[in-house]
Amino acid sequence: MSGEQYVIGLDVGTSTVRSIVYDALGLVVGTASTTVETISPQPGWVEIEPEQLWEKVVEVLRLSISKAGLTAQQISSLGISCQRATFTCWHKETGQYFHNLITWQDLRADRIVKEWNNSFTMKGLRLGGKLLHWITRQARYKAAGILRLHPGMVPMRLLWALDNVPTLRKAVEAGEAMFGCVDSWLLYKLTGKHITEVSNIAATGLFDPFTMQYAGWAFTLFSLPLSIMPEVVDSCGEHFGSTKPDILGQSVPIRAVLADQSASAFGSSCYRPGSAKITLGTGSFLDVVTARPHASMAGLIPLIGWKIGTETTFLAEGSVHDTGVIVCWAKSVGLCDNIEDTSQTVSALPSSNGVYFVPGFHGLQAPVLDSTASAGFIGLRLDTTRDEMLRAVVESIAFSMMRVVEGFMSETGSKLEVIVVDGGVARNDFIVQMIADLTGVDLIRPPSVEVSAWGVAGLAGLGAGVWGDREQLAKLREEEGDTFTRRKEWGGMEEYGRWVEACQRFTRWNTT
């Protein structure tokens, strides 16, 4: 290992693009970030303009290298962490995209989802899954027996695009279209290759983690064209190629690509089965490392953490989509200026005084799984204060994560001993402490809560030989963080139960 080696971690999120340059000691020597503009041309639609995202990526890469006082020639490797299940399609020859990036938050396929979920085809698929599980006892069929589609699944939104973008349909029929999520789009722009990394494509619903192949049943069932799909590659290696020389002034080897939550897990040193992390960001996620795909009856999703050669690491994930939306909404209506700075305000109150907030702007995720659920307050009175409403909003973030953790531990019979917590919202002490109180699990918050960039940079550095092994990586991040343990005097489980009841009151609302 040389002290003159440098690695870049590029984190392409839903709201922010961030590039961080690390030296061989894991220290940050240069950083740059910019915001991502989302577009909502219609209610429920959430898009990103692909060329604008590309320009922002190039901007932060160049600026971070400049701030580090380096040139691209001094960068040993680049790792890219990407938001998942956000996709576009483009022309094979010209590279011109047919539509904006349709993000993972987008609800335009809601009508298609409802039609399919109520169809005889899906009912037959569920029945078949139950029968096959009874005969074979294979876990993948167990999950198929309760399968319900939701708007966040890429197949549903891709089906919408094929039906509503005439130029895309025409290009598909002519064999001139390419599909890709954010990782594929950026790799295409950076290198000219049409490939996708396995943890990214596994989060789309188009790739089967049980067989480690494209999910043929999904392409057949929804009449999706397999011909437009990118080649699936491992998470680390030389197969990504290098950036085109004109982008950064010199070719930079790309040695790792990961989905954002996989990068966060890797950056949190969650290498072994049973290790877990929570990310509180635009969305909130619980990811637990598993030795094999976890077939869930409680709405947990079996994902691929990373694949390096013959080693494949899996994740069981529960998610809450609206954390970032809640934060932005709370700011927009004047409940707070910055959610990270609300700890002192809400901690000064003994409780929310019977007020509860249901965070269902985009429906409710596992274990409710109701895309028609709505958001709102319940329990308001004439003497309810603004701060009590704010506390109810903040509490809903912790309650939502409790529900996900509770679902995992109940379904698997496993007790999580420690959870690493990261993401911008994790800077709020009240939320993190409340999750520890609710779950009874110790939460560790590292000094830096932006872990995805470090995770993918670490993997890229391993691929380039900057670091020797994962143990060496973990030692570089052994700084003491903050530990949150359940308080003995805490007694808020009754409030959690009332909040769960409130969530049920807000289900099946947006049904028309």
Side-chain angles (χ1 to χ4, degrees):
M1 180 182 73
S2 167
E4 296 302 317
Q5 291 182 291
Y6 301 93
V7 179
I8 293 179
L10 173 66
D11 182 14
V12 185
T14 310
S15 55
T16 306
V17 177
R18 179 178 289 104
S19 177
I20 302 178
V21 184
Y22 300 92
D23 66 13
L25 298 176
L27 300 175
V28 175
V29 296
T31 182
S33 65
T34 187
T35 56
V36 176
E37 181 184 350
T38 55
I39 308 164
S40 296
Q42 294 188 34
W45 293 25
V46 188
E47 303 176 348
I48 297 172
E49 204 278 317
E51 198 63 32
Q52 185 184 80
L53 179 66
W54 164 243
E55 291 170 357
K56 288 177 179 290
V57 164
V58 174
E59 174 191 335
V60 297
L61 283 172
R62 289 174 176 172
L63 187 56
S64 65
I65 294 171
S66 174
K67 284 187 172 180
L70 304 172
T71 66
Q73 190 172 6
Q74 294 171 277
I75 304 300
S76 299
S77 62
L78 165 65
I80 306 172
S81 164
C82 301
Q83 59 174 288
R84 307 170 303 179
T86 293
F87 73 91
T88 187
C89 297
W90 62 95
H91 195 280
K92 182 183 294 186
E93 301 300 330
T94 68
Q96 180 61 42
Y97 52 88
F98 296 106
H99 57 82
N100 282 341
L101 286 154
I102 302 175
T103 76
W104 57 277
Q105 297 172 310
D106 192 282
L107 297 176
R108 73 186 64 197
D110 191 50
R111 180 187 59 81
I112 300 174
V113 169
K114 291 173 183 176
E115 291 174 356
W116 272 98
N117 277 333
N118 294 325
S119 69
F120 288 112
T121 301
M122 285 303 297
K123 291 175 181 177
L125 181 64
R126 294 184 201 111
L127 178 60
K130 291 176 181 177
L131 288 172
L132 285 170
H133 178 250
W134 182 73
I135 295 169
T136 67
R137 312 313 295 175
Q138 291 187 30
R140 59 187 298 222
Y141 297 124
K142 177 182 179 182
I146 62 163
L147 177 64
R148 289 193 67 82
L149 305 174
H150 58 83
M153 289 180 167
V154 168
M156 300 292 95
R157 286 176 284 134
L158 178 56
L159 199 58
W160 181 94
L162 290 166
D163 289 342
N164 290 274
V165 183
T167 53
L168 172 59
R169 174 65 74 178
K170 184 177 179 180
V172 168
E173 293 171 352
E176 297 173 340
M178 289 180 168
F179 164 92
C181 291
V182 171
D183 70 313
S184 293
W185 170 246
L186 293 180
L187 287 169
Y188 176 78
K189 298 289 283 185
L190 287 165
T191 70
K193 295 188 177 186
H194 185 214
I195 56 179
T196 183
E197 182 274 331
V198 66
S199 70
N200 279 278
I201 197 66
T204 62
L206 294 167
F207 190 86
D208 189 340
F210 293 92
T211 64
M212 295 298 291
Q213 296 176 343
Y214 275 115
W217 65 268
F219 288 88
T220 300
L221 184 65
F222 303 121
S223 299
L224 299 175
L226 186 58
S227 60
I228 68 175
M229 292 295 134
E231 176 190 357
V232 182
V233 299
D234 286 3
S235 308
C236 181
E238 297 181 0
H239 43 261
F240 296 112
S242 299
T243 62
K244 297 173 185 176
D246 60 310
I247 297 172
L248 299 174
Q250 180 82 23
S251 291
V252 174
I254 302 170
R255 288 295 176 263
V257 176
L258 287 171
D260 52 6
Q261 300 312 312
S262 294
S264 173
F266 197 87
S268 299
S269 302
C270 295
Y271 305 142
R272 296 177 179 81
S275 53
K277 66 87 185 169
I278 284 176
T279 295
L280 301 172
T282 304
S284 292
F285 302 87
L286 167 71
D287 289 277
V288 184
V289 175
T290 59
R292 60 188 61 84
H294 174 69
S296 174
M297 302 295 284
L300 299 172
I301 303 172
L303 296 173
I304 296 168
W306 49 84
K307 185 176 186 296
I308 307 170
T310 58
E311 174 211 340
T312 303
T313 297
F314 299 93
L315 299 175
E317 180 176 280
S319 62
V320 180
H321 292 173
D322 279 346
T323 306
V325 174
I326 295 167
V327 172
C328 291
W329 175 81
K331 291 179 183 178
S332 70
V333 298
L335 285 178
C336 65
D337 294 323
N338 189 331
I339 200 74
E340 298 166 13
D341 301 328
T342 61
S343 281
Q344 189 171 356
T345 300
V346 297
S347 296
L349 300 174
S351 72
S352 60
N353 200 18
V355 178
Y356 300 94
F357 180 74
V358 177
F361 289 107
H362 292 100
L364 294 172
Q365 288 76 54
V368 179
L369 296 174
D370 182 3
S371 62
T372 71
S374 184
F377 288 97
I378 193 168
L380 294 175
R381 295 186 307 277
L382 290 174
D383 61 348
T384 296
T385 67
R386 171 180 165 277
D387 286 351
E388 287 170 345
M389 294 174 69
L390 174 61
R391 175 158 174 150
V393 169
V394 171
E395 285 180 339
S396 74
I397 297 174
F399 286 149
S400 296
M401 289 316 301
M402 165 58 179
R403 202 160 197 193
V404 174
V405 173
E406 183 180 49
F408 175 83
M409 293 196 294
S410 174
E411 182 173 78
T412 63
S414 304
K415 180 161 185 350
L416 301 174
E417 299 298 329
V418 175
I419 301 175
V420 180
V421 60
D422 66 79
V425 179
R427 295 189 181 97
N428 186 298
D429 288 353
F430 179 87
I431 293 174
V432 179
Q433 181 61 60
M434 191 169 186
I435 295 172
D437 289 336
L438 287 161
T439 62
V441 180
D442 289 352
L443 267 62
I444 297 176
R445 184 178 61 193
S448 171
V449 295
E450 303 296 347
V451 182
S452 295
W454 166 246
V456 78
L459 186 56
L462 288 175
V466 177
W467 298 293
D469 53 39
R470 294 175 209 180
E471 286 67 29
Q472 185 180 8
L473 273 183
K475 287 180 181 178
L476 294 175
R477 280 294 182 269
E478 281 184 339
E479 312 103 314
E480 289 188 11
D482 300 313
T483 299
F484 296 81
T485 302
R486 174 184 276 176
R487 295 169 292 186
K488 292 181 180 179
E489 72 278 9
W490 190 79
M493 291 307 293
E494 183 178 345
E495 292 181 358
Y496 169 65
R498 290 284 285 169
W499 176 82
V500 170
E501 182 183 345
C503 287
Q504 292 302 319
R505 302 282 184 96
F506 282 77
T507 57
R508 300 182 61 80
W509 180 257
N510 298 307
T511 56
T512 56

